Structures are given as structure tokens and as C-alpha cells.
Amino acid sequence: MLILSPHVKQAPRLIGALCVLSVLAGQAGGADGTKDDPALPIYPRTAQEQARINAVTAPTVDFTTPEPFEANQGGAGTVADTGDDTVFSLPPTTLPLNDRLDFELGHALFAKLWVSSPSSTKASDGLGPLFNARSCMRCHVKDGRGHPPEHPDDSRVSMFLRLSVPAPQTAALTEIEAYLADLDGPNATPRTRPAPGYGGQLQDFAITGHAAEGRMEIAYTEIPVTLADGEVVMLRRPNYTISNPGYGALPKDLQISPRVATPMIGLGLLEAIPAADLLAHADPEDENGDGISGRPNLVWSEREGAPMLGRFGWKAGEPRVEHQSAAAFHGDIGISTPLFPTTFGDCTVEQVACRTAPDGAGDVRGDEIDQSGLDLVTFYARNLAVPARRDVDDPEVLRGKEMFYTSGCASCHVPKFVTHRLEGATSTPQSFQLIWPYSDLLLHDMGPDLADNRPEGRATGREWRTPPLWGIGLTAQVSGATTYLHDGRARSLLEAVLWHGGEAQAARDAVTVMSKSDRAALIRFLESL
């Protein structure tokens, strides 16, 4: 549920929408308006605590020295850099000893390879019949960032294509679709539908006896960008096609959105940021005139049976870590869970053989992964620790931090928050932590160059969630490649910045006119995160 704190100032339309959300959720919020997720055992903040939080999360104006606790990006549970590719796969240092076994069991399920049904390994069957990967770890390798294929034989397993078609204007909307459309009035973004014969994403693998849906193909066009000092940076613009379609002609109005797997670190901390604190950064009508119009994505929670604030995914299309995990089991692997109990995954009504294939559910086992298994995977995902910053007191890094602020990057990549105070020992790593994710988790119009032209929830085809930046400097160490943005088109952090447009155009332009030394300092700062 979503309830606004009294101190949060929002556009009237947003306030009204979120008040309706709180009624739909059917939950009573605390007096301070921060009890926004019934699954979180929250202690309300006192007025004194809120004053301390406001002070500690205020933007810094001193770039001569690091801020207190700045190196501990993930709060008290921050882990040291291991120097190898395991640094994203560690539990927080504050995870109670009694919970370490659950973390390891969750890791085992996260890495588990599923097989097709029927199988003698009854605890592992149910794969597909159509799928993108056989395990969570195949996409989130070492719990890190995915990447696009760089040559024809390169793996496509950590990247896939979302698919949809525009909904006919005469199509009946579901209750939630109608509600979300009402938030934006009669000119709301048209709803989408799964692509006939192909569903909500292109699944490029299939079990024996079934055809894969097709193969993602990427062609790049090189685009030179000349900076103010004469340096030329080559950007690559991707074009996506689908070869070898396995289930008939692709719809002529097919909408395609490429997505690489996102890093897994810090998800539980992001989940524990009070909704009111995120909404305090929303300005959908740009009332302050700074050109930044962050909007929350409001999405349906299968667990709550109500709209919630979207926090996860490239367009903030998932409300909670559990929901994101269950959706990935369903769409990426074809495994049923209590939240998504269909055993055939993303197969459409036209894919009859897929829908009638043997599955791994049963009277004893229930869903192909039951609630206890889903809880373990969720626990693992929720408790992957954030690594410590490096070189926080380096003069060049501090200069780059100043460039980050003065160019306007911090307007969307909000540096710091304090999480809810949570009850219970299992909530220790996420409870009342000063964290540095460098994100507001809101939607922003990023301009036509990054647009996928495919709406998701309330997100338009030009809007993307601000991705957290913590850990971004360890991308090569963990993933073995440096590719950034939702489709991995950027091969360097500078390329990623130069693709920014829309609300980020002014910040992008500020980077292009920086001196070479200031631009290098900015990159050094990002690499320290």
C-alpha cells in the first residue's frame, strides 16, 4: 500500500491517485504514513528520527572530504571487495548466524538447473516447455549484470526480448488496467497485450519435442559524438530482429523491448526504503521547473491483490523481491510458483502443445517450486550484500563527485536514503540503514534514443526507472564485460552517459562540455561506486 507522509509535497493528481491506492490495498497505515508494505514489520519513525534522517540524507555541499559512512554503500552490512568475481554473491556482514543456512539454501535454488518433465529427479523437473534459461544464475551470472551477445556464437542467455502488441482501443480493460488508465485521464498510454503465438517475451530455448520461439539478432550502427574538447566517442545504435520464428508469422505491430539481467545486490535494502521517501522525489508536473519529472510506476501485486509502488526491473514493473523472483521463474524458466501457478510459463493459447505438455507439479509437491522454496530464493535475493566503495578520499574521485552533483546527475540518481526500522532478527541487515544506491527508483523520460516504444504499467515507451549505481564500478570484475544501459549498448560509462536524453539531456550536455580532466574525474567517481 502507499500512503504519503505529511511532509511529502506532491502534485494534487499524484496525491489523489496514491490515496486511492491505499484504499484499494485495504491496509491501515501508520500515523507517519510510512507503513507502505504489509509484509514489512515496520516500527513507525518518531519525529526526532525523521529530523535526523532529513539531515543525514540532505545533499552534500562539501566535496573536499568524504561524507560520514560514505564507503559503506550498503549500510552496516556492507562487505569488503574480495578482488574477484564473487563480490556480488556474499551475505551482509550483519546477517545473523542462524540465517546463514537459509541464505546458502536459497543460493543453491538460485543456481539449480531445472530439467524437463517427466524426470526421475522429481524435485527438479518442470522446466519450460519454452524458456530463456535453466536457472536464475544462468542470467544473473555471479549475481551480476547481463550483457548482449558480442558475436554470432556468443551466449544470449543473460538478455532477452520483451514482446507485446498494442491493445485494441475497443478491448475490455481488466480492473487494474482501468484503474491505472484513470490515473492519467482519457489520454492514457494504450494498454498492451502479449504477442499472439509468442506471449510476453521471446523464449529462445525449448525442451525436446518443442520448437524455440526464435532467435534474437542484433545489428549495430556506429554513431560518432564529438565532445567540446574535440574528443570523438563512438556510440553504437542497436537494431533488433527475430530470426527463425517458431510459431507463425510475427505480428506486424509487434513491440520489442530488449532487457539485460540486472545486478542482484542490495535488493532487500531497496525494498525497505519507505515509499514516502521515494515519492518525495516525484514531480510529475515538473512544478519546480528543473526539467526533472520523476513518476512512480504503480503495478499490481499478486501477493497483496492490490496496486503497489513498482521498485524493481528496468521500468519498475515489479513491486517486491518475492514478486520479481516468482515472475522470473514463470517467464524465464517456465516454473510455477504459488504467485504464478500456471505450469506452462509464458505459453500462449495458440501454443497448444506447450500448454498440454507434462509438468512438474503434483499432489505432494504442489507447485513446481513451492512457497518454502520461493521463500528461500527470495531470502537469498533480498540479502545479497553491497560492496564497499573504493578510493572515497582520492582527490580525483572527490572532484568527480562534485561533477556528478553540479552536472545534475544526482537529481535522478539520488545518492542516499535511510531504510525503515524493521522488527525481527531476520530483518537486521535491512533495518534502519543509511544506504547509498544512487537512484530514486522512479520513472524518467530518457528521450527518443533510448526509447523502446513499449509501455509497461504506467511507464511510457520513453520512460525507464533510474537504475541504482552502487557496484557499477565492479562490473568488469564480476561479469567480465563492461556493457551498460537496459540493452547493454554502451561499452563504457562515458558511452552510457552520452546516450542520456529527455529529462537527462541537460546533465548529458554538461558532461560533453567538461574539460577532459573533469570528465575523467567523473568517470573515476562512478568507478568507485
Side-chain angles (χ1 to χ4, degrees):
M1 76 178 255
L2 300 170
I3 299 179
L4 290 175
S5 276
H7 67 277
V8 178
K9 296 180 180 180
Q10 297 293 338
R13 187 171 65 179
L14 181 60
I15 293 177
L18 296 176
C19 289
V20 175
L21 277 183
S22 66
V23 173
L24 286 181
Q27 303 291 334
D32 66 343
T34 59
K35 199 166 186 178
D36 57 348
D37 186 341
L40 293 178
I42 298 166
Y43 282 114
R45 290 175 175 175
T46 66
Q48 292 79 6
E49 285 177 338
Q50 190 61 58
R52 288 170 50 205
I53 291 167
N54 292 345
V56 77
T57 57
T60 186
V61 294
D62 181 5
F63 302 100
T64 62
T65 187
E67 297 173 72
F69 311 110
E70 186 173 6
N72 294 331
Q73 295 188 108
T78 299
V79 295
D81 180 8
T82 59
D84 59 25
D85 61 4
T86 66
V87 69
F88 282 4
S89 300
L90 303 174
T93 59
T94 51
L95 188 69
L97 185 61
N98 291 342
D99 292 329
R100 294 299 176 101
L101 178 58
D102 284 349
F103 182 85
E104 294 302 332
L105 290 172
H107 173 263
L109 286 171
F110 194 80
K112 175 181 181 176
L113 294 175
W114 294 84
V115 299
S116 59
S117 301
S119 169
S120 59
T121 57
K122 294 299 183 183
S124 299
D125 65 339
L127 175 69
L130 306 177
F131 60 97
N132 293 106
R134 290 182 58 199
S135 76
C136 306
M137 192 68 78
R138 286 288 180 92
C139 290
H140 301 276
V141 180
K142 299 293 185 178
D143 300 296
R145 184 184 307 272
H147 66 88
E150 297 299 331
H151 54 78
D153 296 327
D154 195 5
S155 171
R156 286 156 169 73
V157 76
S158 65
M159 179 180 184
F160 68 87
L161 299 178
R162 291 256 187 238
L163 304 177
S164 60
V165 294
Q169 295 299 305
T170 57
L173 300 182
T174 66
E175 180 181 358
I176 182 60
E177 286 175 335
Y179 170 71
L180 294 177
D182 285 343
L183 293 181
D184 285 336
N187 297 318
T189 301
R191 301 297 125 204
T192 63
R193 294 286 185 267
Y198 289 88
Q201 62 194 64
L202 183 73
Q203 291 162 323
D204 47 2
F205 295 102
I207 64 174
T208 302
H210 295 259
E213 290 185 329
R215 177 182 169 92
M216 174 183 62
E217 306 289 354
I218 312 175
Y220 291 105
T221 301
E222 295 284 332
I223 303 172
V225 175
T226 303
L227 307 182
D229 61 3
E231 179 182 351
V232 178
V233 180
M234 298 300 295
L235 305 184
R236 57 177 188 174
R237 182 187 301 278
N239 180 63
Y240 298 92
T241 56
I242 298 172
S243 63
N244 303 319
Y247 293 87
L250 295 166
K252 293 182 179 179
D253 54 353
L254 183 67
Q255 298 167 320
I256 293 176
S257 181
R259 309 286 176 91
V260 298
T262 55
M264 297 291 294
I265 57 172
L267 299 185
L269 295 167
L270 298 177
E271 189 176 52
I273 298 174
D277 291 356
L278 295 171
L279 294 170
H281 294 277
D283 185 14
E285 307 297 336
D286 191 20
E287 293 186 341
N288 63 5
D290 66 353
I292 307 298
S293 305
R295 299 196 310 141
N297 201 359
L298 307 177
V299 298
W300 190 255
S301 168
E302 295 293 334
R303 174 66 67 195
E304 305 304 330
M308 289 182 65
L309 176 65
R311 298 173 186 249
F312 304 108
W314 284 106
K315 285 183 180 272
E318 302 292 346
R320 299 167 60 181
V321 176
E322 181 196 38
H323 200 283
Q324 182 186 43
S325 301
F329 271 118
H330 173 264
D332 301 347
I333 311 177
I335 296 295
S336 61
T337 67
L339 288 188
F340 297 95
T342 53
T343 57
F344 46 78
D346 188 45
C347 294
T348 67
V349 293
E350 296 89 355
Q351 295 167 322
V352 177
C354 178
R355 288 201 168 205
T356 56
D359 59 66
D363 294 336
V364 176
R365 184 172 159 195
D367 298 300
E368 290 166 328
I369 183 167
D370 60 15
Q371 187 61 52
S372 62
L374 180 60
D375 288 344
L376 288 169
V377 172
T378 302
F379 186 82
Y380 174 74
R382 186 176 282 139
N383 283 286
L384 285 165
V386 179
R389 285 272 309 277
R390 283 86 50 212
D391 304 321
V392 293
D393 57 353
D394 182 279
E396 186 179 28
V397 170
L398 288 168
R399 177 61 176 165
K401 179 181 176 182
E402 184 176 8
M403 295 297 97
F404 185 85
Y405 275 73
T406 58
S407 63
C409 301
S411 296
C412 300
H413 290 283
V414 176
K416 48 191 171 173
F417 291 91
V418 172
T419 61
H420 277 302
R421 186 186 295 279
L422 304 173
E423 302 174 5
T426 58
S427 299
T428 298
Q430 290 84 39
S431 180
F432 211 57
Q433 298 297 307
L434 172 62
I435 61 174
W436 305 72
Y438 289 90
S439 172
D440 58 10
L441 302 185
L442 299 176
L443 299 171
H444 294 276
D445 184 334
M446 296 300 293
D449 286 336
L450 288 181
D452 65 353
N453 300 310
R454 179 184 180 274
E456 181 176 330
R458 294 185 71 220
T460 70
R462 290 167 53 117
E463 288 181 316
W464 299 94
R465 181 199 69 156
T466 307
L469 296 181
W470 52 14
I472 199 168
L474 296 171
T475 299
Q477 179 176 311
V478 173
S479 304
T482 53
T483 57
Y484 308 98
L485 301 178
H486 66 280
D487 55 3
R489 71 176 68 184
R491 294 159 294 188
S492 69
L493 291 169
L494 180 56
E495 284 188 35
V497 171
L498 295 178
W499 275 112
H500 283 49
E503 296 175 40
Q505 185 70 43
R508 179 258 187 206
D509 292 346
V511 174
T512 66
V513 298
M514 285 180 184
S515 68
K516 192 175 188 67
S517 61
D518 283 346
R519 195 162 57 247
L522 173 64
I523 299 303
R524 273 291 311 280
F525 167 71
L526 294 175
E527 290 173 344
S528 78
L529 298 180

